[in-house]
Each structure stands twice: as structure tokens, then as C-alpha cells.
Amino acid sequence: MNELLKSVPESYFASVSTLNENLEIGDKPLINLAVGIPDGAAPKSVTDAVKSSVEDPKQHKYPGFRGYPSFKKAIMDFYSRHYGVTLKDENIAILYGTKSALVQFPMIFIEPGEGVFLPNPGYADYSAGVILAKGVEYDLPLLKENEYLPDYDALDQKELDNARLIYLNYPSNPLGSVASKEFFDETISRFKDTDIKIVHDFAYAGFGFDKKHPSILQSDPELSTAVEIYSFSKSYNMSGFRAGFAVGNKEMIEAINIYQDHTQTGMWGVLQEAATTALNEEDDFLTAQKDIFKKRKDMVIKELSEAEIPIEPIEGGIFGWIKVPDEFDGESFVKYLLKEESILATPGIPFGSRGTNYIRISMAIEDEQLKECIERLKGIAYLWK
């Protein structure tokens, strides 16, 4: 391991991906609220596509580096149908899961010493890519008083002059906050024709509870300024498939494609057939998925708010963001919940310095378990008084 890799902090989510036998768990059955993927199965049409294509001898060979034309057409049709965005082949990169692209992109786009603004709070592993690129991480504060949207006017001008990228993520993990088309309009207008490009992590696109979440590309019709990273993991319950795509600015997309030309030999054709089927045939599944999580969200917000447990509004996504009682920080409260209530939550600190006094809870568990968890939290509501 070289010194550069040693400089990357341990991935929090890798360290807790399996439950450690040394965890101090209470007497009640464990409820895992740290899970980051929906609890349902992939659509039947998707699994049927896998079954029907896996025996095809062509799927046992290299599939071609940059994706089947049918997969790319499905992406084009999906973005046209859902967002009114027109894409060409040059605007699409197939991804072997979206996390890899989000981490790799600074390494293939910025020069050493250049800056990347990362949301705080925001997804923990964004920063690994900046470190591996020998870039400089700049703080993009997401503050409650600004509805957890960045205030570009408050950013340091010297940092802006040195920055090449801004990462955004709406609906937000961990905050559950969302962005409007007007915000994306402002973002594109501000950074168009500058040296700064935008990477929008759209992993929770399908979880729009009041209305469909906008794509940033709706605000960038010339595809001059942004790429959007779309995941099958959450909306289609396909996390194990490791499939996604990036769409947008052709220079940014080409950087991804060239990098993958040298590091991959093409996504397995069976996965491409499965993803194509999801995009072409499962709009109703997206609606059903949204409805499941809206019901859970309404229950969580109502019950915890009535108990005066300070949870932030959940406007999108699958997570809730809760301020911990005054005598705790996020990490100590996670230990308390585990030991006293057998609830495994995620501390806010992996998401940045502004998460120190928060925990993240997931709604990606069965309804009955979620109801039981709510009752356990209500039972200790006095801690917040």
C-alpha cells in the first residue's frame, strides 16, 4: 500500500457493513436502522430478464466496452420521458455501480492541488476521491437556515478561483432535503462558462414524496456544465446488480469512458439487459416504491414529532436526520441506542463536521420493524426534554 492510499481515512460504511460480534446489544431484538438500501426485491421483469439472458452464449463473452446500444437508448428514452432531457450517445457513460464513479471522478478530471467543494453534511466517501486525486477538499456548508442548500455567495473567492468541481446530492443522504429546479437553474447560471463543473449524485431520484424531483440537466439543456449520476440500487431495489450510469456534459462523460476503457472490459451483458428492462418497463414500480416510502416517512415524521424528538423534515430519499439529546454526541448516542434499545443507527460524524450532534436513521426496513423502532424511540423521548 502506498502513502497516498494510506492517507485515505477508513471507510465508515465498510467498517460496519457486517455486524460485529463485539457490539454491545441490549436484550431486545436488534433493529438495524443503519441499512442504506431498500428492503424489497428487484422487479420480477428484471429477474426474468436475467434468467432469460444468462443462458445466451453471447453473454459469456466480452460485451463491448461502452455499453449496448439498447441500454443507451433506454437511458435516452427514460430521461426524455421523465425529465424532458435530450441525450446523445456522447452524453452517456455506463457505470459499474455509482459509488465507484463518484469516487473516481476527481482522479480523472482535476489536477493535483485543484479544489473540489463537497457538501457538509454529505456522503462520506466523496472525499476519498479528492484525496486520491491529490486535490483540495473545500467545505460546502448545508445549513438548516438555508433549507440545507448551499449559499454560493458565502463561499470563499480564493477557493472558488481554485475549484474545478462541486458535488451536489438531492434528495440528500443523510439529510432528506431536496432541491428545486429554481435552485438548479441558479447553479447552472452561476457556474456556466467558468472552470467549475457540477457533479449531481441523483441516487434517490425515485423518492419524491410531494412531486417528482428535478434533474439538474433540466436546468442545463445544452449539457455544458453538469453530469448526473443515476443509480439502480435504490429506486429499483437493484443494489447487488452494481449498475448505474452518468449522463450530461460530453467532456466529463468522455473522461469517465476513457478511464473505464483502461480499467474495465464492459458491463456483463446480463446486467445491461436487466437494467434496460428496468428503465423500459418499470415506471409503475418507481411509483409503488415511492408510495411505500412516503407512507413510512409520514409515519416517522408524525410519531417522532408528536413525541418532540427533533427530526428534520424528510422531503425525499430514505433517511431521517435526528439531533441527539444534549448530553450526547452522535457516536455516543449510537452506542446508547444499541445497548439500551437494541437499535443500530448511523452517527452523523461520517457525513462531515456538521453531523457531529446528529444520527441518521433509515426507513429501509419492514413496516412492523419500523413501527417497533418508533415505539422504542418514543420510550426514551424524555432524553430530549
Side-chain angles (χ1 to χ4, degrees), residues 65-66 255-265:
F65 278 40
R66 297 194 177 188
I256 297 171
N257 279 327
I258 290 174
Y259 178 79
Q260 293 187 155
D261 286 348
H262 292 286
T263 59
Q264 307 286 349
T265 52

Side-chain angles (χ1 to χ4, degrees), residues 8 25 47 58 79 117 123 136 164-165 221 239 242-243 257 269 277 317:
V8 180
I25 301 171
T47 55
K58 81 171 185 178
Y79 257 72
F117 282 98
Y123 183 58
V136 182
R164 289 291 310 281
L165 292 172
S239 57
R242 309 314 303 138
N257 279 327
T277 299

Side-chain angles (χ1 to χ4, degrees), residues 164-317:
R164 289 291 310 281
L165 292 172
I166 293 175
Y167 273 50
L168 299 174
N169 169 218
Y170 293 104
S172 166
N173 172 18
L175 297 171
S177 58
V178 299
S180 65
K181 183 177 182 298
E182 290 72 24
F183 168 76
F184 286 143
D185 288 345
E186 177 197 351
T187 299
I188 297 301
S189 176
R190 181 177 292 257
F191 296 108
K192 184 179 180 180
D193 301 322
T194 73
D195 291 333
I196 296 177
K197 301 295 186 187
I198 311 299
V199 176
H200 181 224
D201 179 1
F202 207 20
Y204 300 93
F207 300 89
F209 301 131
D210 297 321
K211 58 184 178 181
K212 182 177 290 187
H213 298 301
S215 161
I216 197 171
L217 301 186
Q218 293 172 286
S219 301
D220 187 20
E222 297 174 2
L223 306 180
S224 65
T225 309
V227 293
E228 192 155 71
I229 310 295
Y230 194 97
S231 172
F232 290 87
S233 295
K234 321 299 182 184
S235 299
Y236 295 102
N237 292 342
M238 292 172 62
S239 57
F241 289 67
R242 309 314 303 138
F245 56 86
V247 287
N249 176 262
K250 67 180 182 180
E251 287 80 15
M252 299 170 78
I253 292 296
E254 183 64 6
I256 297 171
N257 279 327
I258 290 174
Y259 178 79
Q260 293 187 155
D261 286 348
H262 292 286
T263 59
Q264 307 286 349
T265 52
M267 178 182 288
W268 189 27
V270 173
L271 295 183
Q272 294 191 58
E273 297 287 0
T276 298
T277 299
L279 293 173
N280 286 340
E281 300 182 17
E282 292 298 342
D283 283 359
D284 288 345
F285 186 89
L286 295 180
T287 300
Q289 183 85 313
K290 176 206 69 173
D291 290 345
I292 289 169
F293 278 84
K294 183 180 188 304
K295 180 181 176 183
R296 292 175 181 176
K297 180 268 298 186
D298 289 343
M299 177 176 64
V300 167
I301 292 294
K302 177 179 183 295
E303 296 291 334
L304 296 190
S305 296
E306 288 179 355
E308 299 184 8
I309 295 173
I311 185 168
E312 293 299 306
I314 305 173
E315 299 174 303

Side-chain angles (χ1 to χ4, degrees), residues 9 13 24 33 49 53 60 75 88 105 112 123 126 146 152 158 163 173 179 234 265 285 317 324-325 333:
F13 299 105
E24 291 190 62
L33 290 187
S53 62
H60 307 167
I75 294 168
K88 300 178 182 178
F105 193 73
Y123 183 58
Y126 294 152
N146 200 43
Y152 297 126
K158 289 183 179 179
N173 172 18
K234 321 299 182 184
T265 52
F285 186 89
V324 301
F333 193 56

